[in-house]
Amino acid sequence: MDILNDYIVVIVMAICLCVGYIIKNIIPTDKINRFIPLIMGVLGVALNIWLNEYAITPEIVLGGLASGLASTGMYEMFRNFIGGES
């Protein structure tokens, strides 16, 4: 698990967290909510490629995926911490 910490890009994770939050609250149906991790993974890869001047390497793809998926985990952690819906 420590190896993933080397690949998480904070900027990408923060952007994905905000976009995921907006998607979840604008379209509050379960049909779209189950695709939010997929959307965040793809968005994370696209953002990380863009931040690295359109270079595509396995490390950049992994960093984008890890950051996008970490944003969904962070959302769930915050929601549980503040006592949101279960």
Side-chain angles (χ1 to χ4, degrees):
M1 201 62 165
D2 290 330
I3 211 163
L4 287 179
N5 289 333
D6 296 335
Y7 290 105
I8 291 180
V9 181
V10 176
I11 294 172
V12 173
M13 185 175 65
I15 292 171
C16 287
L17 179 65
C18 294
V19 171
Y21 179 80
I22 291 169
I23 290 172
K24 183 152 181 85
N25 288 306
I26 287 179
I27 310 169
T29 64
D30 289 335
K31 291 180 181 178
I32 193 71
N33 288 344
R34 66 183 181 151
F35 291 110
I36 289 177
L38 174 65
I39 295 168
M40 295 305 101
V42 171
L43 179 63
V45 170
L47 287 171
N48 208 22
I49 289 171
W50 176 63
L51 286 175
N52 287 289
E53 298 176 358
Y54 300 102
I56 300 174
T57 64
E59 290 83 14
I60 291 172
V61 173
L62 178 60
L65 280 172
S67 301
L69 294 175
S71 71
T72 60
M74 184 172 283
Y75 172 79
E76 293 297 325
M77 182 182 71
F78 283 141
R79 187 184 73 167
N80 291 336
F81 181 72
I82 60 172
E85 63 186 72
S86 50

